[in-house]
Amino acid sequence: MKVLVVMPFKDKHKVLMAQNFPQVEFIYERNPDKELVENVEVIIGNVKPSLLKNAKNLRWLQLNSAGTDGYCEKGILPMQTILTNATGAYGLALSEYMLAVLMAMQKKLYSYHDNQKQFLWKDEGEVTSIFESTILVVGLGDIGSCFAKRVKALGAKVIGIKRRLGEKPDYVDELVSLDKLNEYLPKVDIVATVLPGTKATYQIFDKEKFALMKKGAFFINAGRGSAVVEDDLIEALNSNHLAGAAIDVTHIEPLPQTSALWQTKNLHITPHTAGQYHLAKTLDNIVNIARDNLQALIDGKELKNIVDFETGYKK
C-alpha cells in the first residue's frame, strides 16, 4: 500500500508510522503532482482538490482539517473514496484562542496596548466579565465544546447550538438547534461561532443577525469567514452596536490590503492562525487520528470521522 503524506510530519511522527506499519510505503511530499496523487491508495493531508478527480486508486483521504470545504462537491473524489476529517484535533488550540481574545476584548487590553504605543497613560473605563455573562456557542462540536467547558468553568451561562440535537452535556445550560439562532441572539452577551463552511452556514451572520444581538455584545468567529457578511459586521462595529469582535478567518484569505476590515473600530484580526499547527499538540492529534484510521483501513474496520458528503460534517 502506498500512502502519500502531504502534512509536515516531524521525524518522530515518521518513526511512529514506520514502526506501526512496516508493510506500508510512505511517501512524504508537501507539493505532490497529479501523477503521484493518481498512484497512491491513501492520502493523509489536504491535497489540492483539483488533483483528485483522476485518483482512480484512492481508497481513503484523511484531511488535516475539520472543515471539508472543496472536497464534498460531486466529481471531486472517486466514488470509492472514503473521506475523513480531523475533528477532535483542534479543540484545545481554538478554544484557548477564543478565550484569550474574549478576555482581551472584555478587559480592553487591545486599547491599552494601543495606548502604550502612543505613550498614553489613560484609563479606558469599565470592563466586563465572563462570570455571570451569557454566552452563545454556535457549533457545539469538538471546538465549541472545548470552549463551552472553559467559559462554563469561569462562571458563564452557556447556550449551545448544534445541528443535530442529542442529550444536553453538563457544560451547557441549554442546547438548541440552529433554527433557534434568531430567538437566542438578543439574550446573550457573547456570540462565539465555530461553524464550518457549508451551504447551510454561508453568510448566516448578516445585518439581521447583528441587529438582533444586544448593544455592547461581543462576537467571535473562529470557524469560517464565509459564515459572515463582512460589510454587515463592519457596520455593526462602526455604529457601536457591538462592543468588539475577534475573527481568525475572513471570506478571502489572505485578507486584501484594500479590505475595510483592517481599519474597522474594535475589530481584532488574526490571519487564520488560531489552529493549523501553531500548537504542537494539534499536529500530534492529527497524526494519531491518521494512525488509528490507517490501522482500521488495514483491518477492514470502520474509520473515525467519516464525512457525510451531503452536509460536509462528520457523520
Side-chain angles (χ1 to χ4, degrees), residues 60-102:
W60 163 50
L61 170 60
Q62 170 66 60
L63 298 178
N64 55 254
S65 61
T68 59
D69 318 36
Y71 295 95
C72 291
E73 285 78 3
K74 189 174 182 180
I76 295 297
L77 285 170
M79 290 292 292
Q80 79 279 1
T81 304
I82 301 169
L83 178 65
T84 58
N85 68 6
T87 294
Y90 291 93
L92 176 62
L94 268 292
S95 63
E96 289 189 344
Y97 159 84
M98 294 162 72
L99 186 61
V101 294
L102 173 56

Side-chain angles (χ1 to χ4, degrees), residues 103-296:
M103 295 186 79
M105 288 190 292
Q106 287 186 309
K107 305 307 178 187
K108 300 186 176 178
L109 298 186
Y110 292 111
S111 295
Y112 286 116
H113 178 266
D114 291 343
N115 291 348
Q116 178 185 340
K117 298 303 178 184
Q118 299 177 60
F119 313 104
L120 187 60
W121 187 274
K122 179 186 176 185
D123 189 326
E124 290 291 344
E126 290 186 355
V127 298
T128 56
S129 176
I130 291 173
F131 182 70
E132 294 187 342
S133 65
T134 303
I135 300 179
L136 183 65
V137 182
V138 186
L140 201 69
D142 173 57
I143 296 168
S145 293
C146 285
F147 178 69
K149 290 173 184 176
R150 282 157 176 75
V151 292
K152 180 67 176 174
L154 292 171
K157 176 183 178 181
V158 183
I159 301 165
I161 285 186
K162 197 171 185 180
R163 183 174 57 92
R164 290 186 297 194
L165 294 181
E167 185 177 351
K168 182 184 75 65
D170 57 8
Y171 50 83
V172 299
D173 297 278
E174 295 183 55
L175 181 63
V176 298
S177 55
L178 189 57
D179 60 1
K180 300 287 187 183
L181 180 59
N182 284 8
E183 179 182 337
Y184 279 83
L185 285 174
K187 302 177 181 181
V188 304
D189 305 297
I190 297 129
V191 175
T193 176
V194 284
L195 290 172
T198 67
K199 292 178 182 177
T201 64
Y202 183 74
Q203 295 195 337
I204 191 170
F205 285 97
D206 57 11
K207 186 173 184 176
E208 177 193 14
K209 298 294 191 298
F210 292 125
L212 285 171
M213 290 173 62
K214 283 183 181 179
K215 182 174 174 57
F218 294 98
F219 178 75
I220 300 169
N221 185 14
R224 285 293 182 269
S226 59
V228 175
V229 179
E230 292 174 344
D231 286 344
D232 295 348
L233 176 60
I234 290 169
E235 181 183 342
L237 288 162
N238 285 338
S239 67
N240 295 318
H241 181 67
L242 297 182
I247 57 173
D248 186 53
V249 287
T250 55
H251 193 66
I252 299 174
E253 296 180 359
L255 184 63
Q257 291 184 356
T258 54
S259 172
L261 289 170
W262 290 113
Q263 298 298 323
T264 299
K265 182 171 58 175
N266 295 324
L267 177 62
H268 313 289
I269 303 169
T270 45
H272 208 149
T273 51
Q276 299 183 38
Y277 312 125
H278 292 87
L279 183 66
K281 185 167 178 57
T282 301
L283 181 56
D284 293 342
N285 289 340
I286 301 170
V287 171
N288 289 335
I289 291 169
R291 178 197 60 194
D292 292 348
N293 271 344
L294 181 55
Q295 188 65 62

Side-chain angles (χ1 to χ4, degrees), residues 1-7 9 24-33 35-45 47 51-52 58 60-62:
M1 180 186 292
K2 290 184 178 180
V3 176
L4 171 63
V5 180
V6 300
M7 293 173 57
F9 274 34
V24 172
E25 179 185 351
F26 289 97
I27 304 166
Y28 294 95
E29 175 56 61
R30 296 296 306 281
N31 296 295
D33 57 22
E35 183 179 356
L36 180 55
V37 169
E38 291 178 2
N39 286 282
V40 297
E41 296 168 75
V42 172
I43 300 175
I44 299 175
V47 68
L51 295 176
L52 294 168
L58 189 62
W60 163 50
L61 170 60
Q62 170 66 60

